[in-house]
Amino acid sequence: MSRTSTADCRTERQDEWLTPREASALTKLSLQTLANHRYLKIGIPYTKLSSGRAGRVRYRRSDVERYLNSQAVA
């Protein structure tokens, strides 16, 4: 039986792909706001898994967390 280290789990989790709904839940931004950000080419980096208007959008968890950290006010 193989053991996975905590560091491996953390790395695996950071590379996890999130749906817009999951990203919305983490960021507290509405799905429409995320869509507007994609249209305006601002906000969280994303990937389209298929082409066209109805292409499936995914966000990397690490990008979502980086975005949240960059929004912190000192």
Side-chain angles (χ1 to χ4, degrees), residues 59-71:
Y59 297 92
R60 284 191 190 275
R61 178 179 290 276
S62 58
D63 289 336
V64 173
E65 291 172 353
R66 190 174 305 113
Y67 172 80
L68 289 172
N69 290 333
S70 73
Q71 301 301 306

Side-chain angles (χ1 to χ4, degrees), residues 10-66:
R10 199 175 310 120
T11 302
E12 197 172 292
R13 186 177 170 116
Q14 287 176 340
D15 290 338
E16 177 183 13
W17 289 101
L18 303 175
T19 65
R21 188 172 306 279
E22 292 167 328
S24 173
L26 283 174
T27 60
K28 305 296 189 244
L29 296 172
S30 71
L31 289 171
Q32 186 61 55
T33 297
L34 289 173
N36 289 344
H37 285 185
R38 290 192 303 271
Y39 176 77
L40 296 171
K41 299 185 184 338
I42 61 174
I44 307 167
Y46 67 94
T47 299
K48 285 187 86 169
L49 301 180
S50 55
S51 61
R53 267 187 56 193
R56 296 176 190 266
V57 172
R58 294 294 183 268
Y59 297 92
R60 284 191 190 275
R61 178 179 290 276
S62 58
D63 289 336
V64 173
E65 291 172 353
R66 190 174 305 113

